[in-house]
Amino acid sequence: MMDPAEKERLARLEARLAELKKAEAAPERSHMDSHYSQAQLAWRMVIELVSGLGIGFGIGYGLDSWLGTKPIFLVLFILLGLAAGIRVMLRTAQEVQGQQAAAAAEDEKRD
């Protein structure tokens, strides 16, 4: 026969073992998954920058040809498109950084 303190200790041990088994059963992200997600993030940022430049070029070229001016609006809107692309890239980087910080905090909470 076991005393109540021993039963309680055994129940706590079984609960911890079940928690650890559940944590092990959770699928871990492999190195390849992490690599692909980083590559996708890099391509997303490149596309954001290039699209900002392309939209700025299109607007500037359109205004220059419509108004009969040559490089004024083209240069202006290319610079504005570059600034907009960089701003969107920085916002994306902050979003990813926040997600990684939340994931790290959750990992520390589990430990």
Side-chain angles (χ1 to χ4, degrees):
M1 293 258 199
M2 286 200 270
D3 62 28
E6 195 69 30
K7 285 184 180 181
E8 179 185 337
R9 188 171 154 222
L10 185 59
R12 284 189 309 201
L13 179 62
E14 287 177 356
R16 283 187 63 201
L17 284 174
E19 184 180 319
L20 288 174
K21 285 181 181 179
K22 188 186 341 177
E24 285 180 6
E28 296 273 336
R29 287 179 50 170
S30 69
H31 176 68
M32 290 298 282
D33 291 341
S34 174
H35 177 70
Y36 284 130
S37 69
Q38 293 296 322
Q40 289 171 350
L41 177 64
W43 275 111
R44 177 181 170 185
M45 289 185 165
V46 167
I47 289 170
E48 289 169 348
L49 181 64
V50 171
S51 64
L53 285 169
I55 290 170
F57 175 82
I59 292 172
Y61 184 77
L63 283 175
D64 275 336
S65 63
W66 182 52
L67 297 174
T69 59
K70 269 300 167 201
I72 295 171
F73 289 111
L74 181 66
V75 172
L76 178 68
F77 278 94
I78 284 178
L79 291 176
L80 288 174
L82 177 66
I86 290 173
R87 185 173 179 201
V88 172
M89 281 177 48
L90 289 175
R91 193 177 308 143
T92 301
Q94 287 176 342
E95 175 186 323
V96 170
Q97 186 178 13
Q99 289 173 352
Q100 289 176 348
E106 186 177 315
D107 286 344
E108 284 184 19
K109 184 180 177 184
R110 281 194 307 184
D111 292 341

